[in-house]
Amino acid sequence: MEMIVKVTSATPAAPLSDLLRLPLGLDIWEVKPDHLILRAPEAPIERLTQMGYGVEPMQPVAEHLSAFATAEAIAGYHSAETLEQDLRQLAESHPEIAELREIGRSVENRPIWALRIGDRKGSQDKLLFMGCHHAREWIAVEVPFRLARELVEQAADPKIAGWLSTGEIWVAPMVNPDGHEHCRTRERLWRKNRRRNPDGSIGVDPNRNYGYMWGTLNVPTSSQVPSDETYVGPRAFSEPETRAVRDLVAREMFRGVVTYHSYSQLILYPWGYTDKPVIDSQDREGMIGLANQMRDLMKGVHGVVYTAQQSSALYPTAGDTTDWTYGEYGIPSFTIELRPKSHLEGGFILPPSQIEPTWEENRPAAFRFIEQLLEPAAG
Ligand SMILES: [Zn+2]
């Protein structure tokens, strides 16, 4: 039976940090200083016990699903189709500032959409917000969608009008539509895209497939084993979803990128591939400062605590989005892990009653990011 388990270090000979460095094929959900939460079938769980780890079963996965993946929970979120309809409606009702662009197609030929928001004069100052590289992280569609909707519908607000007259904000809320659709209709905990791998397994992790330091790790959180949840793919940019983002970023030359994920309530900045900090002190201090400001703004709304930290402090990843956008283009780049804090609150299956509060607390953080990077005086 597949279980959600809590893993602790039972002996100094088997430290938790080793688990994040050995290729064991685990689906790691949470990384805390003294324990990990992961999903695994029985065989790997037995192996962990044999290796000297403390393994505490928390809940059968089926029970977690029946508690959280209710019909109401599914109905509260966008599908690929309803997202397209809503983005199209925003563009068609505000053609002077919004334009729907297909930036590429998925493995299964679904369009990947971005809404370009800004007046039509053309601008050098552009920002990119993305969501849902990982299929099961549905709240990561809803937050960037609501950002796009607010920018379009409140475009008369003086602050937003200022941004849209001098800059452009691009929002691509669902980078992995195939995975999302599979997750919505078949396997609620599906993570990767829907690539058919040569060994018969399905899926490449799009957030390990970008071309900066790609493939330099082989660990549970960045794996070279095709059947693993974090499979990096056969080569950098092997997937049409990451190529769509690559080509968009190369063409538009954004000044900054935010990519939404869930869960754990974190604001992550590069690097992911190494524990070493970013060398350029101005870049490093700029990203840390902005991450801390976003954290404080988030907390100010509902008192919910997000933690700002270097990405590798969560776990090692090579080939993620923000290592690439910072490593290749030197632009401020953040991965925001949204609500909830733990699997006990639903984990990847955030109750729909939390969509609006999650957006409300992320709104001022996204606005601060935009202000900082689009208003030259503030920058
Ligand atoms: Zn994710």
Side-chain angles (χ1 to χ4, degrees):
M1 184 177 16
E2 224 184 15
M3 294 290 295
I4 300 170
V5 296
K6 178 176 177 177
V7 181
T8 52
S9 170
T11 144
L16 275 182
S17 55
D18 276 8
L19 260 193
L20 295 174
R21 286 177 169 74
L22 297 171
L24 291 168
L26 305 169
D27 184 12
I28 295 170
W29 286 15
E30 296 175 33
V31 181
K32 301 285 150 77
D34 62 338
H35 71 270
L36 304 177
I37 299 290
L38 49 88
R39 172 180 71 138
E42 267 162 40
I45 292 174
E46 276 172 31
R47 195 161 157 224
L48 289 175
T49 311
Q50 286 159 7
M51 289 168 70
Y53 290 98
V55 178
E56 182 188 337
M58 303 294 286
Q59 195 181 33
V61 169
E63 209 172 89
H64 177 78
L65 287 173
S66 59
F68 289 103
T70 60
E72 182 211 7
I74 294 169
Y77 286 87
H78 279 98
S79 65
E81 197 182 333
T82 60
L83 177 71
E84 178 179 338
Q85 288 164 5
D86 284 355
L87 291 173
R88 192 175 295 288
Q89 193 271 333
L90 282 178
E92 286 174 358
S93 58
H94 301 78
E96 69 290 354
I97 50 158
E99 180 189 3
L100 187 60
R101 295 271 195 95
E102 182 182 313
I103 63 168
R105 293 244 162 181
S106 63
V107 168
E108 294 174 344
N109 205 34
R110 287 189 176 82
I112 301 168
W113 298 107
L115 198 66
R116 188 195 66 80
I117 310 166
D119 69 25
R120 290 179 176 270
K121 290 202 295 278
S123 167
Q124 298 302 308
D125 298 330
K126 304 175 191 181
L127 300 176
L128 175 61
F129 290 85
M130 289 185 281
C132 202
H133 276 71
H134 291 143
R136 62 194 177 185
E137 301 168 7
W138 294 4
I139 185 63
V141 177
E142 302 305 322
V143 167
F145 169 74
R146 279 162 176 72
L147 173 64
R149 186 173 64 188
E150 170 128 350
L151 292 171
V152 170
E153 292 184 345
Q154 305 300 323
D157 174 275
K159 187 163 65 174
I160 296 176
W163 297 336
L164 301 186
S165 69
T166 59
E168 283 182 8
I169 298 164
W170 289 64
V171 185
M174 194 186 287
V175 171
N176 177 10
D178 295 351
H180 191 279
E181 192 60 17
H182 182 79
C183 172
R184 199 177 66 83
T185 57
R186 308 259 176 209
E187 290 177 71
R188 181 60 185 84
L189 293 171
W190 188 261
R191 169 184 171 95
K192 300 189 281 183
N193 75 353
R194 292 297 295 168
R195 164 75 65 197
R196 187 165 291 279
N197 298 319
D199 70 349
S201 68
I202 306 275
V204 168
D205 185 339
N207 202 37
R208 302 291 184 273
N209 192 239
Y210 286 87
Y212 188 80
M213 294 290 164
W214 176 88
T216 54
L217 298 173
N218 187 17
V219 294
T221 54
S222 196
S223 170
Q224 299 186 14
V225 178
S227 57
D228 280 358
E229 295 290 352
T230 60
Y231 175 46
V232 300
R235 61 193 171 278
F237 296 116
S238 57
E239 303 310 297
E241 294 87 357
T242 53
R243 288 199 296 272
V245 175
R246 176 194 67 187
D247 296 347
L248 176 70
V249 172
R251 195 171 62 238
E252 303 298 335
M253 298 301 288
F254 297 104
R255 291 187 181 256
V257 170
V258 171
T259 179
Y260 292 101
H261 286 254
S262 74
Y263 61 93
S264 285
Q265 295 166 206
L266 299 168
I267 304 163
L268 305 174
Y269 46 82
W271 301 111
Y273 81 96
T274 174
D275 292 337
K276 296 200 178 82
V278 162
I279 288 176
D280 184 295
S281 61
Q282 200 176 338
D283 288 356
R284 184 180 65 243
E285 296 309 323
M287 285 192 281
I288 293 174
L290 188 47
N292 289 343
Q293 288 180 46
M294 291 196 283
R295 171 200 64 200
D296 294 345
L297 287 163
M298 288 167 173
K299 183 161 185 243
V301 178
H302 296 298
V304 171
V305 176
Y306 290 62
T307 302
Q309 64 185 41
Q310 183 170 330
S311 179
S312 60
L314 174 63
Y315 46 61
T317 58
D320 97 329
T321 312
T322 55
D323 271 12
W324 175 72
T325 52
Y326 176 69
E328 186 73 24
Y329 294 98
I331 54 176
S333 303
F334 298 95
T335 298
I336 297 183
E337 298 276 0
L338 297 164
R339 290 194 194 188
K341 189 80 175 173
S342 95
H343 68 285
L344 300 170
E345 304 160 82
F348 298 106
I349 316 175
L350 184 71
S353 59
Q354 292 201 40
I355 297 173
E356 286 307 321
T358 304
W359 156 239
E360 286 159 11
E361 70 205 8
N362 275 273
R363 179 182 178 277
F367 278 21
R368 182 79 266 279
F369 176 84
I370 297 169
E371 256 167 24
Q372 176 80 22
L373 296 170
L374 282 193
E375 292 178 8

